[in-house]
Amino acid sequence: IFSSEEFLEKPPFRDVIIHATVLATTGKRMSKSLGTGVDPMDLIKKYGADATRFGLIWQAMGGQDIHWSEEHVIAGKKFLNKIWNASRFVLHRIGNSKSEIKISKQIPKPKTQADKKIFSEFRRIRPEVDRRIEKYEFGQALHILYDFFWHNFCDVYLEESKKNLNAELLFYLLQNSLKLLHPFLPHITERIWQELPLKEKNLLMVTSWPEV
């Protein structure tokens, strides 16, 4: 801060995030000497970087200290598997990645009651996710996205799409779900994004944020 004030004559940043302390399962501070610490590299080797990232963010629900639990990393791995399988299912339903869907700038119109319900739910959670991220409430934002994608999109809407397919809306929801999930799970979302049958495609990390 002093260096920036001295050489640039301006503060280097205005927001400072003081995150919660990550404690051992017993509630005590992690200590290398006591062997109560957790090496994130071990978790990454075992579960992957995204699952480890999920496990930490999932537990960060405010300023309260976090009692570390590996079960949340395991839950993250299961969620990644859910995203992967759901994406494969969508690609299969719309004709697989060999076909190119011409994505219009216009939002696909809901046709069935199921379409209207999932689209309404997406429109509800999207600004809420924005609001949480802007307030640095990353854990809350991830919980919202998890509930939407697993329960509303996968458990309900994908099942409904087996009866009445709205390919444009189905693909739209997958695309924008990946965009919202990307800050939390960057590796798997980028990997899936590269498989989407888009005519013009950049890296997901530089793609525009959903507006609706």
Side-chain angles (χ1 to χ4, degrees):
I1 292 175
F2 288 142
S3 295
S4 182
E5 292 279 8
E6 175 66 24
F7 298 113
L8 301 177
E9 298 183 350
K10 65 179 182 179
F13 43 77
R14 297 199 174 277
D15 295 340
V16 177
I17 305 173
I18 303 176
H19 61 76
T21 302
V22 183
L23 305 175
T25 306
T26 57
K28 296 181 179 179
R29 284 183 174 271
M30 291 188 179
S31 168
K32 288 184 178 179
S33 60
L34 295 176
T36 57
V38 176
D39 189 339
M41 295 308 296
D42 291 338
L43 293 171
I44 290 172
K45 289 177 183 177
K46 189 175 181 180
Y47 301 108
D50 276 350
T52 302
R53 188 183 180 100
F54 176 99
L56 185 59
I57 298 174
W58 184 262
Q59 297 175 78
M61 295 296 288
Q64 295 182 343
D65 293 339
I66 297 171
H67 289 213
W68 176 254
S69 176
E70 195 168 320
E71 68 181 40
H72 297 299
V73 182
I74 297 172
K77 187 175 181 180
K78 292 178 180 178
F79 186 47
L80 296 177
N81 189 56
K82 190 78 170 179
I83 296 170
W84 183 265
N85 288 333
S87 300
R88 289 180 60 190
F89 174 82
V90 171
L91 291 176
H92 175 73
R93 289 292 290 148
I94 65 175
N96 222 326
S97 58
K98 293 179 182 178
S99 64
E100 289 186 345
I101 293 183
K102 185 178 181 182
I103 301 300
S104 170
K105 291 185 178 180
Q106 295 183 346
I107 299 167
K109 291 184 178 180
K111 299 175 182 177
T112 66
Q113 192 62 35
D115 289 349
K116 294 176 182 177
K117 188 174 181 179
I118 190 68
F119 186 63
S120 175
E121 184 63 16
F122 179 77
R123 293 188 67 181
R124 183 189 71 80
I125 66 107
R126 205 279 304 166
E128 180 64 14
V129 170
D130 283 3
R131 188 175 70 84
R132 296 291 187 175
I133 291 176
E134 287 170 1
K135 293 176 67 178
Y136 306 110
E137 296 176 346
F138 303 120
Q140 290 88 337
L142 182 56
H143 276 255
I144 293 168
L145 289 170
Y146 177 94
D147 288 339
F148 171 78
F149 193 86
W150 191 302
H151 301 300
N152 298 95
F153 184 67
C154 293
D155 290 351
V156 179
Y157 189 66
L158 290 190
E159 290 300 316
E160 289 292 332
S161 73
K162 295 177 182 178
K163 307 172 191 175
N164 298 292
L165 176 63
N166 185 337
E168 290 77 15
L169 182 58
L170 185 64
F171 193 63
Y172 169 86
L173 291 168
L174 175 63
Q175 271 190 293
N176 287 284
S177 293
L178 292 174
K179 290 180 181 181
L180 294 177
L181 287 165
H182 185 66
F184 306 95
L185 308 170
H187 301 288
I188 190 171
T189 51
E190 188 69 69
R191 176 67 179 82
I192 295 170
W193 184 261
Q194 297 308 314
E195 297 297 319
L196 299 186
L198 296 171
K199 204 166 187 178
E200 297 179 6
K201 179 165 54 183
N202 295 317
L203 289 172
L204 176 54
M205 67 182 296
V206 295
T207 303
S208 60
W209 192 250
E211 295 182 359
V212 174

